[in-house]
Amino acid sequence: MSTIADVAREAGVSKATASRALTGSPQVSPATRERVSEAAQRLGYVPSTSAVSLATGRTRNVGVVLPHVNRWFFAEVLEGIQAALLERGLDLTLYDATPGSAGRERVFTEFLARKRFDGVIAVGLEPAASELEALLSLDRPVVSVIGTEDRTSLVALDDAHAAALATSHLVSLGHRRIAFLGGTSASHWPHVESARYEGYEREMRESGLAEHTTRTPAELSMPAGYEAAVDLLSDPSNRPTAIVGACDEVAIGAVIAARRLGILVPSDLSVVGIDDHVNAEMFALTTLRQVPREQGATAVELLTRHLDDPTLAPVTVSIRPRLVVRNSTAAPSGATPAAVRDFGLSRVPNDA
Amino acid sequence: MSTIADVAREAGVSKATASRALTGSPQVSPATRERVSEAAQRLGYVPSTSAVSLATGRTRNVGVVLPHVNRWFFAEVLEGIQAALLERGLDLTLYDATPGSAGRERVFTEFLARKRFDGVIAVGLEPAASELEALLSLDRPVVSVIGTEDRTSLVALDDAHAAALATSHLVSLGHRRIAFLGGTSASHWPHVESARYEGYEREMRESGLAEHTTRTPAELSMPAGYEAAVDLLSDPSNRPTAIVGACDEVAIGAVIAARRLGILVPSDLSVVGIDDHVNAEMFALTTLRQVPREQGATAVELLTRHLDDPTLAPVTVSIRPRLVVRNSTAAPSGATPAAVRDFGLSRVPNDA
């Protein structure tokens, strides 16, 4: 590996000048800068970043704080962030903030305080007040993905709107007994879950169906959705004709539960999710699509704007989901099938 | 935020002494080191890492190179690595090496060359020769997860053994027409896929079933496994009685395909996977369990040993999988049910 001394020799300048040229110091003439930079390129010289960041005050690194990487949404956002940072030549340092863990506490008290980054993207953090203060006191731009935080810039799905659209799709098909499945009192994403429930609840009320409003709790996972749906569906005399899942994983759990109970989807039961999860198409799930990878890219875009202009006020990007109709929703038995059934048929029939 | 000057004043020493004490220089007496370190703690002083790494030559950071984060195995390994690094107070910089991407090339030519880490963990990289040279030329310890690399330390599942155990489980239940499902010519994990196929093929041969050896290609995902299994199972006259899936996702795809075709699992078709994926239990899948999170922790353990002892030769940790019998395997119709069927019954019947 070549050193700064090699570069200086090759360019015929002093080590100090070579170093100043490569860190963009205004004390160096453009001609010298070019000569040094060509020499560095010829020799395959890559500067030590410790030295560069002391010299420039920029780390060329972004900290990403995430509660989980082993879940679809978070992994997709992370991939989106990573691709966008890579394009800009920026490194990514990952901080794991699993809710309630001792590690999360250390991330806030110790790791983030090292300030090894020019800015932070906090994904699905729903930070406690003290955590938010710790983030803001770093004196680096922060962009949040998911949440209601208005003291940082924010990229977030309009969750209430997504659930309202899911509900309204079912209402327009002729359903009245529409149940909401998912959400727990001990949730790590209280905002997402409550906003989605509120969207459902509001739409039911506005459709004159307030009396049918009901919520069955379940964690936001396929197995939890499966178990809760078995409970919800096992009594034929008191069974909804349609379910709004708090997310696709819960909704897919409900589709599987229905099959095991001999309930045909969509002719006996319609199910809608929110996400367009990677497995949604395979289960022919009607859903409200969000693209978390794009949310990650948007967060990087926003962070870059804050880095370029430290005076920029926090910006909120609210994302509208799009209804994707597949084969898990239909008019309830006895009702007139709606025209919407002609669209989005999957080659995987759900009631086979 | 307090500075090194504040710490020096609080401890009654010079700035240079305070700095030397905090970076562990042997020129400082133990008593002074303690006084300075107490002062730093009282003031909540966190050193700038750029300055620390120039002073110590250690970045307190580990680079992790991964082809994907949005897949179960990789996300679990990453969580294991992250938890183990956090325990040791080390940062994690993530490098995305999606096979065939332009980004991957930049990671090797530019990002890694910045050497912002004390060592590297490469997960499922299956590096090209030039990539491996680039990694080794960094002059930092490298630990691989997955693969056959013997020039770095390695943590890897014994893939051939896993597939042989899966096959032998089916043979002992009385199956003869056992098909292997999964693997593609354009795979990004040629080693894993070929080792698993070879374990199956060897076990078939040793059981006198070489004539029944067959492989249906499929990418290692649930939808791909589903599609390939529909093809494999749709001709009743030429249908296997059992399937070894190249991984759990492929095997779960096969279970779903069987249900859609009206083939009962396990009475008409047995299916075994490899992984113990987070969804395996929900589909009552018999499988060979590996715990990727532990592989991540082991990789960190190995890397730490290399950092402590630069002369340490590469070490290989080969992981033996464990058979987990659930409800997706049984004796073929007509055969005497094996005693093994009494174990591992899930509360989710697969042939409901």
Side-chain angles (χ1 to χ4, degrees):
Chain A
M1 276 260 148
S2 50
T3 66
I4 187 75
D6 300 330
V7 175
R9 200 165 33 241
E10 176 85 6
V13 300
S14 72
K15 266 174 63 179
T17 301
S19 169
R20 275 197 287 269
L22 290 172
T23 56
S25 158
Q27 295 165 44
V28 178
S29 76
T32 304
R33 191 191 319 285
E34 195 165 321
R35 205 162 73 239
V36 172
S37 143
E38 278 170 14
Q41 222 160 2
R42 266 198 305 280
L43 298 173
Y45 171 75
V46 179
S48 146
T49 29
S50 296
V52 168
S53 65
L54 274 182
T56 63
R58 279 265 184 133
T59 63
R60 307 286 299 158
N61 188 38
V62 168
V64 176
V65 192
L66 270 175
H68 298 286
V69 292
N70 61 351
R71 299 194 61 140
W72 172 80
F73 179 84
F74 297 97
E76 291 286 328
V77 169
L78 182 57
E79 294 226 338
I81 291 173
Q82 184 143 48
L85 290 178
L86 197 119
E87 243 174 54
R88 291 165 171 79
L90 299 171
D91 275 343
L92 185 167
T93 295
L94 193 62
Y95 299 98
D96 174 18
T98 305
S101 68
R104 178 167 174 138
E105 212 184 307
R106 281 190 74 188
V107 162
F108 281 95
T109 56
E110 178 183 340
F111 283 67
L112 290 172
R114 293 181 190 158
K115 301 206 269 190
R116 293 186 141 177
F117 37 73
D118 300 325
V120 172
I121 300 176
V123 186
L125 206 54
E126 307 229 4
S130 64
E131 295 174 339
L132 182 61
E133 287 311 319
L135 271 180
L136 295 171
S137 74
L138 294 172
D139 196 28
R140 297 278 189 283
V142 178
V143 175
S144 306
V145 179
I146 299 188
T148 49
E149 187 38 50
D150 59 3
R151 293 172 69 192
T152 75
S153 275
L154 172 69
V155 183
L157 180 71
D158 186 339
D159 289 293
H161 186 61
L165 284 178
T167 310
S168 122
H169 169 59
L170 295 168
V171 170
S172 72
L173 286 171
H175 291 276
R176 297 176 56 79
R177 290 167 59 197
I178 302 168
F180 188 89
L181 185 67
T184 63
S185 54
S187 166
H188 299 313
W189 296 280
H191 162 68
V192 170
E193 296 184 358
S194 64
R196 291 184 183 179
Y197 178 73
E198 282 158 27
Y200 154 80
E201 194 273 331
R202 190 188 66 216
E203 189 63 30
M204 290 293 276
R205 201 169 357 98
E206 289 178 2
S207 306
L209 299 172
E211 65 189 300
H212 293 298
T213 299
T214 159
R215 180 181 202 171
T216 303
E219 274 182 38
L220 299 188
S221 76
M222 203 156 100
Y226 171 82
E227 275 190 47
V230 167
D231 284 349
L232 175 65
L233 298 172
S234 54
D235 177 6
S237 68
N238 196 22
R239 190 183 283 161
T241 64
I243 290 176
V244 175
C247 69
D248 276 4
E249 289 173 82
V250 162
I252 289 170
V255 168
I256 297 174
R259 284 190 197 145
R260 296 283 174 82
L261 294 167
I263 300 166
L264 299 182
V265 175
S267 52
D268 292 344
L269 179 75
S270 286
V271 180
V272 193
I274 297 172
D275 273 346
D276 205 22
H277 185 279
V278 63
N279 290 335
E281 184 160 19
M282 180 177 175
F283 288 92
L285 189 70
T286 295
T287 190
L288 275 295
R289 176 180 295 163
Q290 65 171 330
V291 185
R293 190 178 287 258
E294 289 173 8
Q295 295 176 40
T298 304
V300 170
E301 180 66 38
L302 277 179
L303 189 67
T304 314
R305 284 171 57 192
H306 283 289
L307 289 170
D308 291 344
D309 177 4
T311 66
L312 188 72
V315 177
T316 292
V317 177
S318 178
I319 291 166
R320 289 259 156 162
R322 193 165 73 73
L323 180 66
V324 178
V325 180
R326 297 201 182 94
N327 207 11
S328 68
T329 48
S333 315
T336 313
V340 77
R341 298 301 311 128
D342 298 336
F343 298 102
L345 288 171
S346 165
R347 85 205 128 142
V348 183
N350 239 6
D351 47 1
Chain B
M1 276 260 149
S2 50
T3 66
I4 188 75
D6 301 329
V7 175
R9 198 165 34 241
E10 176 83 7
V13 298
S14 73
K15 264 174 67 179
T17 301
S19 169
R20 276 197 287 269
L22 290 173
T23 56
S25 158
Q27 297 164 44
V28 179
S29 75
T32 304
R33 190 191 319 287
E34 194 166 322
R35 205 162 71 239
V36 172
S37 140
E38 279 171 14
Q41 221 160 1
R42 264 197 307 278
L43 297 174
Y45 171 75
V46 179
S48 146
T49 30
S50 296
V52 168
S53 65
L54 274 184
T56 62
R58 281 264 183 130
T59 63
R60 308 287 298 161
N61 187 39
V62 167
V64 176
V65 192
L66 269 176
H68 298 287
V69 292
N70 61 351
R71 299 193 59 139
W72 171 80
F73 179 85
F74 297 97
E76 291 286 327
V77 169
L78 182 57
E79 293 227 339
I81 291 173
Q82 183 142 49
L85 291 178
L86 195 117
E87 243 174 55
R88 291 165 172 79
L90 299 170
D91 275 345
L92 186 167
T93 295
L94 193 63
Y95 299 98
D96 175 19
T98 304
S101 67
R104 179 168 175 138
E105 212 183 306
R106 280 192 73 189
V107 162
F108 281 95
T109 56
E110 178 184 338
F111 282 67
L112 290 172
R114 292 180 190 160
K115 301 206 271 191
R116 293 188 142 177
F117 37 72
D118 300 324
V120 172
I121 299 176
V123 186
L125 205 54
E126 307 228 3
S130 64
E131 294 173 340
L132 182 61
E133 287 312 319
L135 270 180
L136 294 171
S137 74
L138 293 172
D139 196 28
R140 298 277 190 280
V142 178
V143 175
S144 306
V145 179
I146 298 188
T148 50
E149 186 38 51
D150 59 5
R151 292 171 70 193
T152 75
S153 276
L154 173 68
V155 183
L157 180 71
D158 186 340
D159 289 293
H161 186 61
L165 284 178
T167 310
S168 125
H169 169 60
L170 295 168
V171 170
S172 72
L173 287 170
H175 291 276
R176 297 176 55 81
R177 291 167 60 198
I178 302 168
F180 188 89
L181 184 68
T184 63
S185 56
S187 166
H188 300 313
W189 296 279
H191 162 69
V192 170
E193 295 183 359
S194 64
R196 291 184 184 179
Y197 178 73
E198 283 157 27
Y200 153 82
E201 194 273 331
R202 192 187 65 214
E203 189 64 29
M204 290 294 276
R205 200 168 0 97
E206 290 178 1
S207 306
L209 300 172
E211 65 189 301
H212 294 299
T213 299
T214 161
R215 181 181 200 168
T216 304
E219 275 182 38
L220 300 187
S221 75
M222 204 155 100
Y226 171 83
E227 276 190 45
V230 167
D231 284 348
L232 175 65
L233 299 172
S234 54
D235 176 4
S237 68
N238 196 22
R239 189 183 285 161
T241 64
I243 289 176
V244 175
C247 70
D248 276 4
E249 288 171 84
V250 163
I252 290 170
V255 168
I256 297 173
R259 284 191 197 145
R260 296 284 173 82
L261 294 167
I263 299 166
L264 298 182
V265 175
S267 51
D268 292 344
L269 180 75
S270 286
V271 181
V272 194
I274 296 173
D275 275 345
D276 205 22
H277 185 280
V278 63
N279 290 335
E281 184 160 19
M282 180 178 173
F283 288 92
L285 188 69
T286 295
T287 190
L288 275 296
R289 174 180 296 162
Q290 65 171 329
V291 185
R293 187 178 287 257
E294 289 173 7
Q295 296 176 38
T298 303
V300 170
E301 181 65 39
L302 277 179
L303 190 66
T304 314
R305 284 170 55 191
H306 282 290
L307 290 170
D308 290 345
D309 176 5
T311 66
L312 188 72
V315 176
T316 293
V317 177
S318 178
I319 291 166
R320 289 259 155 161
R322 194 164 73 74
L323 180 66
V324 178
V325 180
R326 297 199 181 94
N327 208 12
S328 70
T329 49
S333 315
T336 314
V340 77
R341 298 301 313 126
D342 298 337
F343 298 101
L345 288 171
S346 164
R347 85 206 127 139
V348 183
N350 239 4
D351 46 1

